């Protein structure tokens, strides 16, 4: 007998028929002899609507009351799913976050799970009940409802799987797995059978929006095996697991891209110790996340150029901040561009094989695509390109690394 956590996202519980369909999937898993806990999101569109209500009442609303409002979507779906399961003759019961309880810190709107009490859930499951748990929510240190940030029910599911010591956490969604790249751009994109936590983390954070990034971090930390699969078709999905579990390792497993990038170059800043700190300090204080950074050598040791990227949502704010500090920083001018895209090649194989980056550069060169900024990590090479080249670059790289489906 295995213990399994099944998680269903918003589209999977989008209407009553779909909820009944989910109940049938759960029943099957249960009747195969498994202990089952189910985590659900709100019905698709509901959380957006709730967020909008808060904004309409007050654009700058109290974060604690916002959590009270936006967490309600999940309360509806746990109740409905428990009813649907009972209709199928199963014993099922729902739990909100505070009933479990799922304890979090007090960062309302983006709380982190600290602990989950599992005694009651385990007793129920061992007694043949199906535990239906609300995703996205928990309870803070002051006994107030918290939420985990948008897309947070993935994290609820993985955290619950870790706490319950589950054999697997199955994330049912509207795609049937993790692909080598975005299938809307590359028709020959392939579904991966397995992907390591590290690679998935890079894919998740550079724009393949299958799993909330935090849920992958949590899975990696607690070694939870996560399977991403379709709630509409019955076929195996992609297993996110330990590197050791992957027998046929690929040099490169995926090409990701993110249009959520904007480039800023600070031209002719005095090249002295502390200049980077004084440029990036105010940005960090204003919660502007800086991604890629390059600094040129200065020929005469006096001035240098500093180029970096921020997310598009922070672009205007970053420029305003730098303009404010112009006198203090002593640079000549700013050059900005938000028509850029970050394209990344990801693969564990890079750790042991040379030439992966070189292949990327030569492939882009052959297509006449200019690289503006480069950054690398142990298992990733990212380049910043003109946005118009997104499709061309992703397709060319996908072929160059032999990822195209036959
Ligand atoms: N319902 C929440 C949201 O839409 C949480 C989730 O779906 O994961 O963000
Ligand atoms: Mg989601």
């Amino acid at each position: 007998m295995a213990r399994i956590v099944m998680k269903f996202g918003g589209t999977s519980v989008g209407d009553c028929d779909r909820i009944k369909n989910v109940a049938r999937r759960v029943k099957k898993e249960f009747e195969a002899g498994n202990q089952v806990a189910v985590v659900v999101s709100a019905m698709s569109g509901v959380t957006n609507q709730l967020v909008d209500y808060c904004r309409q009442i007050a654009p700058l609303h109290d974060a604690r009351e916002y959590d009270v409002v936006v967490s309600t979507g999940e309360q509806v779906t746990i109740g409905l799913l428990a009813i649907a399961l009972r209709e199928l003759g199963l014993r099922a019961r729902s739990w909100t976050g505070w009933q479990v309880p799922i304890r979090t810190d007090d960062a309302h709107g983006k709380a982190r799970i600290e602990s989950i009490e599992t005694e009651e859930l385990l007793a129920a499951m061992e007694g043949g009940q199906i535990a239906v748990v609300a995703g996205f929510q928990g309870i803070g240190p002051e006994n107030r409802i918290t939420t985990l940030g948008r897309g947070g029910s993935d994290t609820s599911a993985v955290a619950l799987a870790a706490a319950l010591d589950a054999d697997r956490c199955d994330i049912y969604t509207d795609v049937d797995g993790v692909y080598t790249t975005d299938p809307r751009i590359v028709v020959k994109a392939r579904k991966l059978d397995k992907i390591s936590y590290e690679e998935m983390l890079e894919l998740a954070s550079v724009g393949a929006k299958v799993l909330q990034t935090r849920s992958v971090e949590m899975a990696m930390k607690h070694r939870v095996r996560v399977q991403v699969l379709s709630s509409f078709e019955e076929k195996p999905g992609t297993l996110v697991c330990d590197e050791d579990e992957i027998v046929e390792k690929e040099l490169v497993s995926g090409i990701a891209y993110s249009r959520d990038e904007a480039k800023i170059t600070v031209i002719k800043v005095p090249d002295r110790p502390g200049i980077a700190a004084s440029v990036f300090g105010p940005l960090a204080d204003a919660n502007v996340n800086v991604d890629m950074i390059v600094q040129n050598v200065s020929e005469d040791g006096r001035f240098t150029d500093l180029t970096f990227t921020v997310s598009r949502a922070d672009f205007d704010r970053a420029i305003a901040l730098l303009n404010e500090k112009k006198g203090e920083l002593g640079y000549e001018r700013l050059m900005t561009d938000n028509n850029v895209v970050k394209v990344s090649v990801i693969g564990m194989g890079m750790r042991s094989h040379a030439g992966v980056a070189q292949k990327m550069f030569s492939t882009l060169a052959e297509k006449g695509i200019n690289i503006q900024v480069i950054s690398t990590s142990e298992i990733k090479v990212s380049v910043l390109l003109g946005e118009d080249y997104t499709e061309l670059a992703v397709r060319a790289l996908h072929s160059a690394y032999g990822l195209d489906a036959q």
Side-chain angles (χ1 to χ4, degrees), residues 7-10 41 150-154 171-174 209-212:
K7 182 258 168 178
F8 294 88
S41 296
R150 298 305 307 271
S153 44
D154 291 339
I171 308 265
Y172 288 84
T173 174
D174 48 3
K209 297 187 187 64
V210 192
L211 292 174
Q212 198 201 30

Side-chain angles (χ1 to χ4, degrees), residues 50-67 70:
L50 295 167
V51 170
D52 191 53
Y53 286 149
C54 294
R55 290 204 183 119
Q56 280 186 47
I57 302 272
L60 290 174
H61 38 257
D62 186 281
R64 295 161 298 188
E65 299 304 346
Y66 163 94
D67 279 349
V70 301

Side-chain angles (χ1 to χ4, degrees), residues 52-349:
D52 191 53
Y53 286 149
C54 294
R55 290 204 183 119
Q56 280 186 47
I57 302 272
L60 290 174
H61 38 257
D62 186 281
R64 295 161 298 188
E65 299 304 346
Y66 163 94
D67 279 349
V68 172
V69 176
V70 301
S71 62
T72 56
E74 274 74 9
Q75 182 163 341
V76 173
T77 43
I78 53 170
L80 291 175
L81 180 58
I83 292 173
L85 288 165
R86 297 177 75 88
E87 272 299 290
L88 296 180
L90 299 166
R91 292 168 54 226
R93 195 212 124 164
S94 66
W95 273 268
T96 61
W98 65 265
Q99 285 176 311
V100 173
I102 296 175
R103 298 196 190 281
T104 72
D105 62 16
D106 62 358
H108 286 274
K110 50 175 190 309
R112 280 182 179 270
I113 296 177
E114 288 179 340
S115 66
I116 300 181
E117 237 159 82
T118 53
E119 219 170 292
E120 199 177 288
L121 294 179
L122 280 174
M125 289 162 75
E126 270 152 18
Q129 249 192 351
I130 292 164
V132 184
V133 179
F136 185 50
Q137 53 176 267
I139 182 142
E142 280 166 15
N143 246 5
R144 303 190 67 162
I145 291 173
T146 53
T147 62
L148 311 180
R150 298 305 307 271
S153 44
D154 291 339
T155 303
S156 306
V158 174
L160 188 63
L164 291 172
D165 200 14
D167 297 274
R168 220 175 51 228
C169 180
D170 286 342
I171 308 265
Y172 288 84
T173 174
D174 48 3
V175 295
D176 59 1
V178 179
Y179 279 73
T180 47
T181 193
D182 185 345
R184 287 169 305 184
I185 289 193
V186 181
V187 196
K188 289 182 170 176
R190 269 191 296 125
K191 189 171 82 186
L192 295 159
D193 295 332
K194 290 183 178 179
I195 185 164
S196 69
Y197 297 118
E198 288 82 357
E199 289 166 317
M200 189 62 214
L201 210 50
E202 297 286 4
L203 277 174
S205 58
V206 290
K209 297 187 187 64
V210 192
L211 292 174
Q212 198 201 30
T213 304
R214 209 188 261 183
S215 72
V216 185
E217 286 166 0
M218 169 124 17
M220 179 156 96
K221 182 163 161 212
H222 298 283
R223 301 284 140 184
V224 177
R225 301 167 77 238
V226 174
Q227 188 182 196
V228 177
L229 67 177
S230 163
S231 51
F232 306 114
E233 290 168 276
E234 295 205 23
K235 57 180 186 192
T238 301
L239 185 69
V240 188
C241 60
D242 202 286
E243 190 185 351
D244 297 341
E245 236 190 278
I246 305 173
V247 186
E248 276 185 46
K249 292 191 178 65
E250 308 263 6
L251 187 58
V252 163
S253 351
I255 315 289
Y257 68 93
S258 165
R259 296 185 202 265
D260 185 23
E261 298 280 329
K263 186 179 71 164
I264 298 175
T265 303
V266 189
I267 297 192
K268 272 191 115 176
V269 272
D271 191 12
R272 53 173 165 76
I275 192 69
S278 46
V279 169
F280 295 118
L283 294 174
D285 292 343
N287 258 323
V288 172
N289 247 334
V290 173
D291 182 19
M292 308 169 97
I293 302 179
V294 276
Q295 184 188 322
N296 283 347
V297 288
S298 52
E299 232 172 80
D300 54 5
R302 289 172 55 221
F303 297 100
T304 183
D305 297 341
L306 207 55
T307 298
F308 58 93
T309 64
V310 297
S311 80
R312 285 193 190 173
D314 290 336
F315 188 50
D316 292 337
R317 216 148 45 90
I319 294 172
L321 270 166
L322 290 169
N323 279 331
E324 227 173 81
K325 302 254 167 202
K326 184 162 193 247
E328 203 178 305
L329 297 171
Y331 63 85
E332 189 187 282
R333 65 194 163 93
L334 295 180
M335 225 165 70
T336 61
D337 182 2
N338 64 2
N339 293 313
V340 289
V341 63
K342 181 172 74 173
V343 176
S344 307
V345 170
I346 292 147
M348 294 297 247

